[in-house]
Amino acid sequence: MSGSPIEELSVPGAVRWITRTLEGEGFETWAVGGAIRDALAGRPSGDWDLATRATPAQVRRVFRRTVPIGVGHGTMGVLARDGTLFEVTTFRRDVETTGRHAVVEFADRLDEDLARRDFTINAVAWHPIRQVLHDPFGGSADLERRLLRTVGSPKDRFAEDYLRILRALRFAGVFQLRIQAETWRALAAAMHRVRALSPERVREELEKVLEGPTPPSRVLGLYAASGLLATLYPELERTIEARRVPEGGDWFSHELRTVDLLSPARPELRWAALLHGLGEPGPGPDDPDGIDGADTSVRALLRSAAVLERLRASNARIDRVSQLVQWAARPPDTGGTDAELRRWLAAAGRERLPAFLRIWSAAVRADEARGGPWGREAFLRLARRLRGLVRARVPLDVADLRFSGRDLIGMGYRPGPVFGEVLRALLEEVLDDPERNDPHYLRERASRWLEERKSDV
Ligand code: ATP
Ligand code: MG
């Protein structure tokens, strides 16, 4: 396969420019890895990475605008005219690996650099000027026959870096590849090692799955089939055994179908959809995490927060996703009264309504897709009513009351914690009946409340 001419790959002009410039100085340079694989598979390429014989210092001397991205690892960023940053990495070979990280040194030849890459489909290089494919391990043929296998011995390659286990499942799912039997056996045998990976790397893998254009279920299904789900995400593994009532089927497949139906452009909704069944009772009498007793939606909140914390997600993401999970797992009763819907909006946050509607809509379609009961009519009615309440700007928050702490001060009361209590009590009345959001009425109720309170103490 080596050096075989194939139809032209469309390479960004800047990649040709970087190659031409470095080769003009005598440094052999190739476009390598993921972008070539994507192009061969007929997909839009992600980042174009270059591999070169030049050292980082030499790359810096050749280009006017460079950014030291990971000089220790041989990587310089080269800034193209349009402001795009391209990673240019010196040919490397591994000198020592631990399963979690590698010590590398610079190498002279492209082939050494390709040999340290994980899978044949990733160990391909394209020469942007000469337009030749360099594919010493047959990655392009593997793509064609839809086969994923490691470069060299699978056992050794997984032992060098356990992240490759996750990457194998991702590439197999995304490119719909069969995993070669020997590669699969080695992957399964090394599975328990993935617990040693840093949470950040594990999270980034899942982010790529949830935020990419391929339906995540393809990869997550492989997570489950390979034992990775049980190893890294036991609470999700339990949802495989959790039955959906009355819809039927299991929670895990429902989560996957729901995730697939949400846009990758809204990753937090996908995260929430993936985690929204975590509160459901799984197999066995005991809850292994001690999160028991609470109601389904609170268990879902606590468990999804625990998963995200374990993955070292940002606090903002933990908060947003676990809140979405909590309230998505507890929609208002479709036959509820307006007051019940207002209370639900007040608790769940009206600003989040569009997010909930997207998640539920996906969940309803996910049930339909497997022939479950038609929840669509009830869902659409509920969605209309909730949207109507938000659009009508019904008061849902203390800040919406036509009465405030300032009015209490005007009435001669001294500010204190009791102000908050009064206002919340007034809000409860207004949630029951928005007509009560009237300054005179609220003033009257406030002084009554405070008087009663005084006689209490
Ligand atoms: P994606 O960007 O979708 O994750 P990618 O293949 O581009 O896919 P990167 O992490 O960007 O993945 O890495 C670029 C290239 O570096 C890969 O194509 C592969 O050749 C090599 N590579 C990355 N991670 C590893 C690894 N853990 N072991 C061996 N080679 C790797
Ligand atoms: Mg990449």
Side-chain angles (χ1 to χ4, degrees):
M1 281 295 314
S2 185
S4 57
I6 58 161
E7 76 275 29
E8 190 180 343
L9 295 189
S10 102
V11 178
V15 170
R16 285 200 303 273
W17 163 70
I18 294 171
T19 307
R20 209 181 306 114
T21 310
L22 281 166
E23 297 213 329
E25 299 290 324
F27 302 116
E28 180 187 0
T29 300
W30 293 77
V32 287
I36 315 305
R37 174 204 63 216
D38 293 345
L40 290 172
R43 296 177 160 240
S45 292
D47 303 330
W48 284 82
D49 299 323
L50 292 112
T52 182
R53 207 172 149 168
T55 63
Q58 288 167 328
V59 173
R60 202 184 48 221
R61 275 203 292 280
V62 171
F63 295 98
R64 213 157 46 86
R65 297 197 294 172
T66 57
V67 184
I69 294 181
V71 178
H73 284 96
T75 304
M76 284 296 273
V78 173
L79 214 49
R81 241 172 310 226
D82 68 356
T84 318
L85 192 68
F86 290 90
E87 291 192 7
V88 178
T89 305
T90 310
F91 295 152
R92 294 175 296 185
R93 76 172 80 88
D94 290 335
V95 282
E96 196 194 318
T97 56
T98 66
R100 305 179 61 214
H101 30 74
V103 179
V104 294
E105 66 184 15
F106 297 150
D108 294 328
R109 295 184 312 113
L110 171 68
D111 279 358
E112 291 179 273
D113 189 83
L114 294 179
R116 73 178 284 278
R117 294 171 186 266
D118 44 9
F119 305 106
T120 60
I121 60 166
N122 287 341
V124 287
W126 173 257
H127 199 279
I129 311 292
R130 288 191 278 119
Q131 295 183 19
V132 280
L133 182 72
H134 187 65
D135 180 15
F137 303 103
S140 119
D142 283 349
L143 260 184
E144 218 149 286
R145 60 184 163 155
R146 298 187 172 258
L147 184 69
L148 185 91
R149 59 190 176 101
T150 54
V151 170
S153 146
K155 187 161 166 287
D156 295 348
R157 303 314 309 277
F158 289 124
E160 286 166 8
D161 183 357
Y162 314 131
L163 191 75
R164 291 174 188 159
I165 295 172
L166 282 71
R167 289 171 57 86
L169 302 172
R170 175 160 60 90
F171 294 126
V174 166
F175 293 96
Q176 297 197 271
L177 312 176
R178 196 161 40 80
I179 299 180
Q180 179 214 36
E182 193 191 345
T183 298
W184 178 264
R185 273 195 302 274
L187 174 155
M191 187 56 78
H192 59 289
R193 307 293 202 122
V194 298
R195 288 205 197 87
L197 289 167
S198 80
E200 289 78 5
R201 291 179 87 198
V202 170
R203 186 191 72 230
E204 278 166 21
E205 269 298 317
L206 185 52
E207 279 168 354
K208 286 185 175 181
V209 174
L210 290 179
E211 298 172 19
T214 311
S217 66
R218 290 192 195 154
V219 179
L220 297 172
L222 288 173
Y223 270 27
S226 63
L228 183 87
L229 196 70
T231 310
L232 287 181
Y233 302 101
E235 41 295 83
L236 275 168
E237 172 82 6
R238 284 165 56 83
T239 66
I240 296 177
E241 300 286 325
R243 311 319 297 173
R244 272 169 66 69
V245 183
E247 297 84 351
D250 67 280
W251 268 95
F252 185 63
S253 345
H254 174 72
E255 287 154 357
L256 294 196
R257 277 192 300 272
T258 309
V259 171
D260 282 355
L261 287 165
L262 288 159
S263 159
R266 299 179 192 278
E268 292 192 343
L269 300 192
R270 282 188 154 188
W271 275 99
L274 178 66
L275 303 172
H276 83 287
L278 286 192
E280 301 300 324
D286 293 310
D287 268 316
D289 49 11
I291 296 171
D292 203 357
D295 80 34
T296 313
S297 65
V298 174
R299 281 201 302 265
L301 163 88
L302 296 173
R303 289 204 182 114
S304 48
V307 171
L308 289 161
E309 266 162 36
R310 200 167 69 225
L311 295 173
R312 307 245 207 288
S314 71
N315 287 334
R317 175 155 283 190
I318 298 173
D319 284 351
R320 281 194 301 260
V321 172
S322 59
Q323 296 281 324
L324 282 176
V325 165
Q326 176 182 17
W327 295 102
R330 192 208 284 173
D333 192 343
T334 48
T337 63
D338 278 358
E340 282 164 1
L341 298 199
R342 285 190 294 268
R343 284 219 150 72
W344 188 90
L345 281 169
R350 82 187 104 189
E351 68 288 352
R352 283 198 282 255
L353 181 63
F356 293 122
L357 294 180
R358 285 201 171 89
I359 295 172
W360 293 331
S361 161
V364 166
R365 281 180 291 144
D367 277 336
E368 283 174 8
R370 69 172 290 285
W374 285 68
R376 182 185 290 262
E377 282 310 313
F379 164 70
L380 290 176
R381 239 186 345 265
L382 177 68
R384 242 188 330 268
R385 288 178 65 201
L386 288 167
R387 267 200 221 99
L389 290 170
V390 169
R391 211 173 299 128
R393 303 230 169 99
V394 290
L396 296 171
D397 188 285
V398 165
D400 301 330
L401 296 176
R402 300 183 60 198
F403 184 85
S404 70
R406 233 175 303 135
D407 298 308
L408 287 169
I409 295 171
M411 289 160 71
Y413 293 103
R414 279 230 305 238
V418 75
F419 273 32
E421 285 177 52
V422 180
L423 294 173
R424 270 192 299 278
L426 296 180
L427 177 63
E428 285 302 316
E429 293 207 26
V430 169
L431 285 170
D432 277 333
D433 179 4
E435 295 288 316
R436 292 176 179 159
N437 195 14
D438 167 86
H440 300 293
Y441 175 84
L442 294 177
R443 181 189 174 91
E444 144 85 29
R445 296 298 299 164
S447 60
R448 173 93 55 88
W449 195 94
L450 284 159
E451 284 311 310
E452 280 170 13
R453 178 65 182 254
K454 216 180 279 165
S455 54
D456 274 356
V457 275

